[in-house]
Amino acid sequence: MTTASRMVFCGLLLLFAGGTSRADESVSPPGSRGEYLARAGDCVACHSVPGGKAFAGGLKMGTPLGAIYSTNITPDPETGIGSYSLADFDRAVRQGIAKDGHRLYPAMPYPSYAKLTDADVAALYDFFMKQVPPVHQANSKSEISPVLSVRWPLAIWNLLFTTSASYVAKSGHDAAWNRGAYLVQGLAHCGACHTPRGIAWQEKALDDNSADYLSGAELDAWYAPDLRGDMRTGLGSWSKDDIVEFLKHGHNRGGTAFGSMIDVVNNSTPYLSDSDIDAIAVYLKSLPATSTQQAVAYNDATTVALRSGRTSQPGAAVYTGTCANCHGLDAKGFTPYIPALAGNPIVLDNDPSSLINLVLNGSNPLVVKGTPDAYRMPQFRLQFSDQDIADVVTFIRNGWGNQGPAVTAAQVAQLRKTTDPTSDQVIILKMR
């Protein structure tokens, strides 16, 4: 996977350049509140590089017009944010404006962070200024040409597509729901990946007032799945406990983290309190479906055929010889560690990008609180041709009761060209 997935929406932005109520503040686990909030926001994942110092920046983020690099947000006074006042910090976090007045690209998810309370911004500021060790590391210059790097058009973009209001609790819901909504819409900035984008690469919705919110989005060779209640391609078949399990451990009976979600699990969600994880699950389960999909009815005809040696169907022989070793001839996997493929939302999605990418490039290690997962998806880009992979993915998407559009060799070839094999260099850093 490329780091461009963190910045996919900046491309069009670069083309442009040619009354508040407080959310419920549940008790945090041991450690400062600011540190806890930084975990919830997964700040370390973007502002660090594998093998580097936490929050010192330098992560390369690709855009169609050139790469940019995340910045040093340690309290070093010369190369970091050590000279920032609370007001400076607040303006950068919630409005996307640096101390010197230049506007930040919304790779910094300030459209979501705008929902933070004053108290949470102050707690984050205290953490970064008092608990994060300063690192003297200059920020890397972007690789975008000066003509295209002018940032004043971002002011217009902000007026059109962002809000300056902190989260306001909804009276029709209880404290747990509102806490979950505050976290999902704000600090966790789930919509930055899981909400589709418009013509200006803006998130089509920043909250649940629109059915577009968290309805799934293409994200640089991956597809961030639907987090709403759709039965086949969303979370409709997951219980609240399934969501809790996934956030705590990175896998459950229905799925395993991949792509950018690996960093989220490695550095963020398992560190949240039980009450906050439960609140997130409550909120996500409340989001209605955007379709009338019916749940997959498991059909064992594919299993019977494979067990009897009938593998003449395209993709069947590859599945039997390779995939079945982990996922089983019945495609039920060995949950919660190896996911089932029957009824899996990633398998069923109309956009097959994630499934193709996983077969081509495998997945990065999942390391939950220092413990590596014993199972991970290997890469098969060297073993199989584009047609082989297209056939086996199509086979999986249409076996055991699944029903998904066929995948072509051309789709596989395109992803093979634009992606690289995943490396073991994931970001797993101590916060301080």
Side-chain angles (χ1 to χ4, degrees), residues 319-335 337-341 374-378 380:
Y319 183 86
T320 302
T322 304
C323 311
N325 293 331
C326 292
H327 296 282
L329 291 174
D330 58 5
K332 292 182 178 180
F334 295 91
T335 60
Y337 303 103
I338 300 176
L341 300 178
Y375 307 94
R376 74 184 268 216
M377 179 72 176
F380 294 104

Side-chain angles (χ1 to χ4, degrees), residues 325-392:
N325 293 331
C326 292
H327 296 282
L329 291 174
D330 58 5
K332 292 182 178 180
F334 295 91
T335 60
Y337 303 103
I338 300 176
L341 300 178
N344 190 311
I346 304 305
V347 172
L348 296 167
D349 208 296
N350 285 332
D351 188 323
S353 298
S354 292
L355 192 57
I356 297 171
N357 202 338
L358 282 167
V359 175
L360 276 171
N361 302 313
S363 64
N364 277 328
L366 190 63
V367 184
V368 178
K369 292 186 174 181
T371 303
D373 200 327
Y375 307 94
R376 74 184 268 216
M377 179 72 176
Q379 59 174 275
F380 294 104
R381 66 186 295 128
L382 299 181
Q383 291 93 321
F384 297 118
S385 68
D386 295 337
Q387 189 62 59
D388 288 336
I389 292 176
D391 287 343
V392 73

Side-chain angles (χ1 to χ4, degrees), residues 5-366:
S5 58
R6 306 179 194 282
M7 258 297 288
V8 65
F9 51 90
C10 285
L12 193 55
L13 298 180
L14 295 173
L15 292 177
F16 284 168
T20 303
S21 65
R22 295 182 61 179
D24 171 52
E25 296 186 0
S26 60
V27 177
S28 303
S32 75
R33 179 162 186 80
E35 180 176 357
Y36 180 78
L37 295 171
R39 283 285 190 192
D42 198 18
C43 307
V44 73
C46 285
H47 287 279
S48 311
V49 295
K53 298 290 187 180
F55 305 114
L59 185 69
K60 187 174 183 177
M61 299 177 174
T63 78
L65 299 179
I68 68 169
Y69 296 83
S70 64
T71 55
N72 183 341
I73 56 171
T74 74
D76 181 73
E78 295 180 5
T79 63
I81 59 171
S83 65
Y84 274 50
S85 66
L86 173 58
D88 295 331
F89 181 83
D90 188 349
R91 193 164 68 147
V93 169
R94 292 198 282 190
Q95 299 178 43
I97 303 174
K99 180 178 180 178
D100 64 5
H102 81 266
R103 293 186 178 271
L104 307 178
Y105 294 119
M108 169 65 176
Y110 61 84
S112 297
Y113 291 168
K115 294 179 181 291
L116 299 185
T117 63
D118 294 346
D120 280 354
V121 173
L124 282 166
Y125 178 76
D126 283 345
F127 169 69
F128 281 106
M129 293 301 173
K130 298 176 182 178
Q131 294 179 265
V132 173
V135 178
H136 189 80
Q137 178 175 299
N139 292 316
S140 300
K141 293 182 178 180
S142 78
E143 298 174 8
I144 300 167
S145 71
V147 174
L148 296 174
S149 62
V150 179
R151 304 199 188 202
W152 65 263
L154 288 169
I156 300 172
W157 190 91
N158 289 343
L159 286 173
L160 293 173
F161 303 122
T162 66
T163 177
S164 60
S166 296
Y167 178 78
V168 178
K170 291 189 176 181
S171 59
H173 296 279
D174 63 16
W177 186 95
N178 275 293
R179 177 63 178 173
Y182 175 71
L183 290 168
V184 170
Q185 295 175 21
L187 264 177
H189 57 281
C190 303
C193 290
H194 292 273
T195 297
R197 295 185 177 273
I199 192 171
W201 285 101
Q202 82 283 8
E203 294 169 52
K204 286 187 175 180
L206 294 173
D207 56 41
D208 52 78
N209 289 324
S210 168
D212 285 322
Y213 187 60
L214 301 182
S215 62
E218 188 278 329
L219 193 68
D220 188 37
W222 297 95
Y223 190 81
D226 180 352
L227 299 184
R228 302 180 67 90
D230 297 274
M231 291 301 298
R232 298 173 71 87
T233 59
L235 298 181
S237 63
W238 287 21
S239 67
K240 181 174 74 70
D241 289 343
D242 289 332
I243 298 173
V244 168
E245 178 77 6
F246 185 87
L247 294 175
K248 283 186 173 182
H249 304 292
H251 49 65
N252 61 17
R253 66 181 179 87
T256 299
F258 59 82
S260 294
M261 195 64 193
I262 291 284
D263 286 334
V264 176
V265 175
N266 285 351
N267 296 293
S268 179
T269 54
Y271 295 89
L272 301 184
S273 67
D274 289 346
S275 62
D276 274 354
I277 291 177
D278 190 75
I280 290 171
V282 166
Y283 175 69
L284 291 178
K285 282 301 294 181
S286 76
L287 300 178
T290 59
S291 68
T292 57
Q293 298 172 354
Q294 299 298 310
V296 169
Y298 184 83
N299 186 327
D300 67 355
T302 306
T303 305
V304 171
L306 295 179
R307 285 176 175 166
S308 65
R310 298 198 300 271
T311 58
S312 60
Q313 183 178 346
V318 172
Y319 183 86
T320 302
T322 304
C323 311
N325 293 331
C326 292
H327 296 282
L329 291 174
D330 58 5
K332 292 182 178 180
F334 295 91
T335 60
Y337 303 103
I338 300 176
L341 300 178
N344 190 311
I346 304 305
V347 172
L348 296 167
D349 208 296
N350 285 332
D351 188 323
S353 298
S354 292
L355 192 57
I356 297 171
N357 202 338
L358 282 167
V359 175
L360 276 171
N361 302 313
S363 64
N364 277 328
L366 190 63

